[in-house]
Amino acid sequence: MRQFKRSFLNLVVLTITICSVASCSDDENLNDLDETIFVRHRNADMPAYIRGNASEKVFLITLNGGPGGVGLEFRGKAFDEIENQYGVVYFDQRGSGNSQGNYDKDEINIDIMAEDVLALAKVMKRKFGSDSRFFLLGQSWGGALGVATLQKDQSDFKGWIDVDGAYNAAGLYDLYLETFTTTANTQIALANSVDFWESVLELVSQVDPINNVNDFSKLNRKAPEAEAKLAQDGIINSEDTGVEGNNLNFVYNPRINQWNGIQIGSIITGDQGLFQTTDLTSQLPKITIPSLFISGQYDMVVPIVSAQTAFETIGSASKELLIFNRSGHSPPFSEPDRFATEVLRFMDEHKQSSATDYN
Amino acid sequence: MYVLCIQAQQDKTDDSSFLDKTEFKVGYYGNVLWDNGLNLGAEYVWKEKKKVKETKKGQKTITHQFLVNGILGYSTNFANKTDNGLHTYYGLIWRRTSPKRWQFQVELNPLGYYRSFLPETFKVDGGDVSKVRLPGRSYYTPTIAFGIGRLRHGKRRSGWYLNFNCAFRTNYNAGVLPTYSIQYGHRFNFKKKK
């Protein structure tokens, strides 16, 4: 009996030791994070995939495109480099990717989704400490969501990185008509994919000059095709997701993604008319934190004029606009090295600044 | 040439014990690529009808059964930490067993429940952040399934089944999420040997 008690005691001590070591390992692994946590807010549970080197407790929170895209879609060569230096938080927004919940349609809108992002920042501070520092990066739809977030509260963020942001979604229709025409004429003059670009001009001549859902969809679907032709003709770089790719095949069930995309697409772009009604230009002057705008020269999805206007309108005293000459709508994948370099430089420059420096 | 039908007869198992009318099942549950798991269940013969056909080669018996069905299972996605779930559902199975012991079945399980299990979760309510205990969500999840199988007469391991299952997770986000899976498993019983 005594022997048994001793063995049992040894087992308990060993178990406690192993558990203690395991629970301490988070602190030791801040320089190589690979964690998934969930944020519960307004009846939604949304995963945040935290990766990279957070030894300085500097995190880049990313907002993907869509609406209906997935947080981890950023992963690839550029973000691998960023992860080597800083923590990166990939966030599946409400109704997207592996997020789940139980809520009504009226609990999906850009306003609540912006509150979700602020909730994520609060959770990150709770988990990693109040001395954590954040940068916010939004691409395409994520650009609009980022502006909506920052105009509510920018005090938690050291800087804002807008990558082809669609903060003026309602203005895209006119930009499509203008950019498609200009680009098509230029490419026809260069004798590049003439048949395709003539079909683009034909589409532009057929659609209504007034923004409407059906014609917007036609133009929006044509934009990636146009970028594919530009890549094929060597005007822009093809997308490079790195040697390993972003390995999303088994992380996300594509059928559920598709279902989520249809759901959220029908609510935000259909019922709420994102591309007919949303223009956050008037919110830009309220943003005063350091801002970096990155746009592809040949972005056909959110044309470059959008970034130029945002750069001129934003209230930040410290701001930059970078044009990626060999890119369309995906600078992180078409020019990954330059993208990583510029984002890291921006974060290095502003990670020590305090909010009062810019208010 | 088959001659005529036939005679329908009620099963004589009315006075059988619970175990004589019950089969248990265990099997794979999932969609192979993303979610994989295990199902345990039981089926209880509620109604049974046997049709005996007289043919030149002798008698052929076709059995139609209604069975009460209950399942408990767990599945997970090994590639992420977000898709773990326990499910249980209850309903009826209609099953036809051919003279050559091949089976075709349709399941309707209106009473279904799915509970997701999430990793570390923090709830944000206004300015307050709190850690959630046993994070996850519950969904009403009725299912339908159809499939095939084969019966082994008089054996403890009494046959296999292969079902295609569709579950409706309600209310998932702002809608009803249909999830598809296959179920492959074996049935077994503890019937008294006669």
Side-chain angles (χ1 to χ4, degrees), chain A residues 34 37-41 43 45 95 98-103 123 126-127 249-252 254-255 259-260, chain B residues 33-34 77 79-82 116 118 120-124 129 136-137 139 171-174 176-178 180:
Chain A
D34 182 5
I37 60 171
F38 271 73
V39 177
R40 175 170 291 180
H41 180 246
N43 299 319
D45 287 342
N98 289 319
S99 69
Q100 54 177 278
N102 189 326
Y103 43 81
V123 167
R126 159 75 190 264
K127 182 161 176 65
N249 292 343
F250 298 106
V251 176
Y252 295 105
R255 211 197 48 72
W259 181 87
N260 272 331
Chain B
L33 293 176
W34 298 282
N77 180 341
N80 64 31
K81 298 167 187 170
T82 66
S116 63
L118 302 176
E120 190 175 26
T121 298
F122 295 90
K123 182 179 181 183
V124 180
V129 181
R137 285 193 176 267
Y139 301 96
N171 204 13
Y172 186 89
N173 290 336
V176 178
L177 172 71
Y180 304 103

Side-chain angles (χ1 to χ4, degrees), chain A residues 43-242:
Chain A
N43 299 319
D45 287 342
M46 299 158 283
Y49 311 91
I50 308 161
R51 306 281 191 266
N53 177 0
S55 53
E56 291 184 70
K57 293 194 180 180
V58 175
F59 296 92
L60 178 63
I61 294 177
T62 62
L63 303 175
N64 57 265
V70 295
L72 287 166
E73 72 189 18
F74 282 111
R75 290 203 95 188
K77 194 176 175 187
F79 277 81
D80 285 349
E81 279 186 50
I82 296 168
E83 284 180 21
N84 284 337
Q85 196 163 330
Y86 297 118
V88 181
V89 184
Y90 305 95
F91 185 52
D92 281 348
Q93 298 158 20
R94 177 179 293 258
S96 305
N98 289 319
S99 69
Q100 54 177 278
N102 189 326
Y103 43 81
D104 296 326
K105 283 185 176 180
D106 57 12
E107 285 180 287
I108 296 185
N109 57 56
I110 194 167
D111 198 47
I112 291 177
M113 293 171 87
E115 288 176 14
D116 290 341
V117 180
L118 294 173
L120 168 64
K122 286 190 176 84
V123 167
M124 290 292 293
K125 279 194 166 182
R126 159 75 190 264
K127 182 161 176 65
F128 294 99
S130 55
D131 54 341
S132 302
R133 291 166 285 171
F134 306 116
F135 288 81
L136 189 63
L137 180 149
Q139 203 240 348
S140 197
W141 147 260
L145 182 55
V147 170
T149 304
L150 295 172
Q151 63 91 18
K152 277 177 180 289
D153 185 359
Q154 56 194 309
S155 61
D156 277 333
F157 300 97
K158 296 288 178 189
W160 162 235
I161 302 168
D162 175 300
V163 185
D164 304 316
Y167 65 92
N168 179 8
L172 287 177
Y173 193 88
D174 291 341
L175 293 183
Y176 282 159
L177 299 181
E178 188 184 318
T179 309
F180 282 15
T181 304
T182 315
T183 310
N185 285 331
T186 307
Q187 295 305 310
I188 289 168
L190 292 168
N192 289 334
S193 302
V194 173
D195 291 345
F196 173 78
W197 290 109
E198 282 177 346
S199 78
V200 171
L201 289 176
E202 194 181 336
L203 174 63
V204 169
S205 69
Q206 285 170 353
V207 297
D208 194 313
I210 307 297
N211 188 350
N212 64 87
V213 176
N214 288 339
D215 286 341
F216 179 87
S217 295
K218 289 178 191 168
L219 293 166
N220 186 252
R221 280 198 299 269
K222 202 70 171 177
E225 286 179 43
E227 289 194 9
K229 284 290 174 196
L230 291 168
Q232 189 182 305
D233 292 331
I235 305 295
I236 61 176
N237 295 342
S238 299
E239 294 188 6
D240 177 8
T241 54

